[in-house]
Amino acid sequence: MIIPIRCFTCGKVISNIYEVYQSRVERGEEPKEVLDDLDIERYCCRRMLLAHQDLIDELMEY
Amino acid sequence: MNIEIREMQERKAKLILSDANPTLANALRRVLIADIPSLAIETVEFHLGTIGDEAEEKEYQSSTPLFDEIIAHRLGMIPIPTDLDLFNFREECEECGGEGCPNCTVIYSLNKKGPCTVYSGDLIPVGETDLGVVDDLIPIVKLSDDQAILIYAIAELGTAKEHAKWQSTSGVGYKYYPEISIDSDKCDNCKDCIDICPVDILEESEDGEIIVSDIEKCKICKSCVETCAVGAIDVKGREDKLILRYETDGTLDAETILQKGLEILQEKFNSVIEMVEDIE
């Protein structure tokens, strides 16, 4: 769906960097490097971005 | 308990608690998580039906890809800068008695027409201009061609005891202060401990002895103790000295949170003392 605003586990706001993360990964950077650079330290927050599937664009058609 | 500030950034802090114990550190941790008041959106009013645009002579639908409830929930999670000296809890507000006034609530408006992504930065405070949200780039919802959104949202003070949206800290945790002792008489200089340390804090000094570079990084995993064949290294965690770390989401800065947290902890301890005195 759409990126959750905060990390489910610890509550850190992670959605504000989602679009930066997404564009940098699409440009071919390693997700690990991008997450380290954006100061996403804990693995609970890292999985929020790593495992996210953005489905809202597909849903918009209906 | 003595608190030594090791690192104090706007959104991140690291403290050394000495002359303390885990019970006291946990009390502080729980206060930092659940008792610090902050602002968050609590009430959301949606405009339902068509939203007209006179200039364009076009009508937009107020339905969006997400349910209104989900949008309301997402709005609630957005951090809002808080000045604790200016705001009262709504139900305790003496000015308005809970009706809602500038001393206890902040009203935001959100008005956007598709196609676009609605961001937290589109939330505009009504009246007070210095209370814009902390992060402008949080996506709230996406709108397609003939969709629009018109919302009034009311933020008020609360604590994370009631709902996690009022939680202004994250990753609050403490660990024992590590202590590494190396017996140089036993050590055979095999350097296995240097290789195995996951945080790379063990290194060889100029005169060939194993030394610790940054003790506070140690996770007390004891990999070095296990790998040492001659038993020359020992790692312990001190119970009277602890390292407490936390982050904030920007509603309040790390220093204000610590001050407020200690204030609340003091009040709690005082109320226990009073209750005990009442028994006698």
Side-chain angles (χ1 to χ4, degrees):
Chain A
M1 202 45 152
I2 193 165
I3 183 83
I5 292 185
R6 287 165 186 258
C7 168
F8 289 153
T9 306
C10 73
K12 183 186 171 77
V13 177
I14 43 101
S15 55
N16 54 343
I17 55 129
Y18 177 68
E19 288 184 3
V20 182
Y21 166 81
Q22 194 70 359
S23 63
R24 284 177 64 174
V25 170
E26 269 167 25
R27 250 184 281 144
E29 277 185 71
E30 277 295 314
K32 177 187 183 291
E33 308 292 327
V34 184
L35 289 170
D36 285 343
D37 193 36
L38 292 169
D39 219 17
I40 304 294
E41 211 176 301
R42 288 177 291 276
Y43 60 62
C44 61
C45 312
R46 291 171 85 94
R47 62 90 206 256
M48 295 299 294
L49 292 155
L50 276 173
H52 179 66
Q53 285 289 325
D54 217 28
L55 296 176
I56 192 157
D57 288 320
E58 277 151 65
L59 210 81
M60 300 251 295
E61 294 171 25
Y62 304 101
Chain B
M1 185 170 76
N2 294 314
I3 299 179
E4 184 191 325
I5 294 167
R6 190 49 55 91
E7 193 190 317
M8 183 61 82
Q9 297 172 23
E10 200 193 331
R11 294 200 184 187
K12 213 177 194 180
K14 183 175 166 186
L15 316 168
I16 310 288
L17 313 177
S18 51
D19 194 15
N21 55 57
T23 323
L24 217 49
N26 194 39
L28 180 58
R29 174 186 149 270
R30 293 184 60 138
V31 166
L32 291 180
I33 293 173
D35 286 312
I36 310 286
S38 68
L39 285 173
I41 289 172
E42 169 73 352
T43 317
V44 183
E45 254 174 56
F46 287 86
H47 176 93
L48 301 176
T50 54
I51 297 167
D53 189 323
E54 285 169 14
E56 284 181 62
E57 288 182 8
K58 195 176 168 187
E59 282 206 334
Y60 293 87
Q61 295 302 315
S62 63
S63 64
T64 65
L66 298 180
F67 293 120
D68 288 354
E69 291 92 324
I70 294 180
I71 297 176
H73 176 254
R74 289 180 72 81
L75 288 169
M77 305 308 280
I78 294 170
I80 289 168
T82 308
D83 187 339
L84 291 175
D85 297 330
L86 291 181
F87 289 97
N88 308 321
F89 282 99
R90 190 166 174 178
E91 58 274 28
E92 291 165 17
C93 185
E94 286 167 10
E95 303 284 326
C96 65
E99 292 270 305
C101 68
N103 290 314
C104 61
T105 55
V106 189
I107 303 170
Y108 288 88
S109 75
L110 179 63
N111 186 1
K112 236 181 160 195
K113 295 179 175 75
C116 67
T117 305
V118 183
Y119 291 101
S120 54
D122 298 321
L123 278 170
I124 295 158
V126 177
E128 287 153 284
T129 43
D130 56 339
L131 281 166
V133 293
V134 185
D135 300 295
D136 285 343
L137 277 175
I138 301 172
I140 298 166
V141 66
K142 275 187 175 178
L143 301 176
S144 70
D145 203 12
D146 46 0
Q147 295 178 337
I149 194 165
L150 179 58
I151 282 174
Y152 284 97
I154 302 166
E156 59 184 76
L157 274 190
T159 59
K161 243 178 208 169
E162 204 179 321
H163 193 289
K165 68 184 175 186
W166 282 299
Q167 186 181 321
S168 43
T169 51
S170 57
V172 193
Y174 58 86
K175 68 173 182 185
Y176 296 130
Y177 198 90
E179 246 181 359
I180 303 175
S181 51
I182 299 161
D183 189 341
S184 52
D185 294 338
K186 278 190 193 168
C187 181
D188 60 357
N189 250 337
C190 66
K191 300 190 189 75
D192 282 350
C193 52
I194 297 178
D195 295 333
I196 205 153
C197 180
V199 283
D200 294 323
I201 55 164
L202 293 170
E203 53 190 54
E204 199 181 2
S205 69
E206 281 169 17
D207 41 341
E209 284 191 2
I210 309 287
I211 53 159
V212 184
S213 60
D214 188 356
I215 182 80
E216 284 171 18
K217 270 192 185 169
C218 178
K219 292 179 171 174
I220 322 186
C221 68
K222 300 197 177 180
S223 304
C224 49
V225 180
E226 276 166 33
T227 196
C228 187
V230 290
I233 193 162
D234 192 27
V235 180
K236 278 202 177 89
R238 284 176 60 173
E239 285 202 20
D240 61 336
K241 196 172 177 187
L242 301 114
I243 304 173
L244 181 105
R245 299 204 303 176
Y246 61 92
E247 284 171 28
T248 90
D249 61 6
T251 50
L252 294 154
D253 60 72
E255 205 180 329
T256 320
I257 285 185
L258 181 63
Q259 280 170 357
K260 189 72 192 171
L262 292 170
E263 226 171 82
I264 292 167
L265 201 54
Q266 185 84 53
E267 276 169 31
K268 282 179 188 278
F269 284 139
N270 286 342
S271 71
V272 172
I273 292 170
E274 271 171 36
M275 276 189 269
V276 172
E277 278 171 352
D278 285 346
I279 298 170
E280 290 161 359

